[in-house]
Amino acid sequence: MPQSPILSLIVSDELDKYLERRSMKFCRYADESNIYVKLRRAGEDVLEMFTEKTFKLRGNRDKSGVFRLQ
């Protein structure tokens, strides 16, 4: 997300709250977010919906991502 560090943290905080409400497992360090799900597509849908549709932002897929639980 090419924006200021403060804006990045605000958006990340909103994502954290959203994931908590949905009882999803996640880990965040600064502006990097990882979502852990049983179905990879479910996590990708959440990440896309939240960042791209809600905030009109594109996430950095090299630093953040969705990972399937084993």
Side-chain angles (χ1 to χ4, degrees):
M1 295 180 205
Q3 67 241 1
S4 75
I6 293 173
L7 181 56
S8 177
L9 291 175
I10 291 169
V11 171
S12 295
D13 185 59
E14 289 298 317
L15 177 60
D16 292 351
K17 291 175 185 174
Y18 180 80
L19 295 172
E20 287 172 353
R21 284 193 305 271
R22 297 208 44 191
S23 299
M24 298 183 87
K25 305 286 186 216
F26 65 95
C27 177
R28 180 168 66 89
Y29 180 77
D31 64 342
E32 299 174 24
S33 295
N34 292 326
I35 301 172
Y36 302 96
V37 293
K38 290 182 182 176
L39 299 173
R40 184 178 180 97
R41 185 67 201 155
E44 289 173 353
D45 287 346
V46 167
L47 192 58
E48 178 182 325
M49 186 278 309
F50 190 84
T51 58
E52 296 176 10
K53 293 182 181 167
T54 302
F55 287 102
K56 308 287 190 254
L57 301 171
R58 304 269 309 159
N60 183 343
R61 295 295 177 151
D62 294 334
K63 295 171 62 177
S64 300
V66 174
F67 302 93
R68 188 173 173 272
L69 292 174
Q70 298 293 327

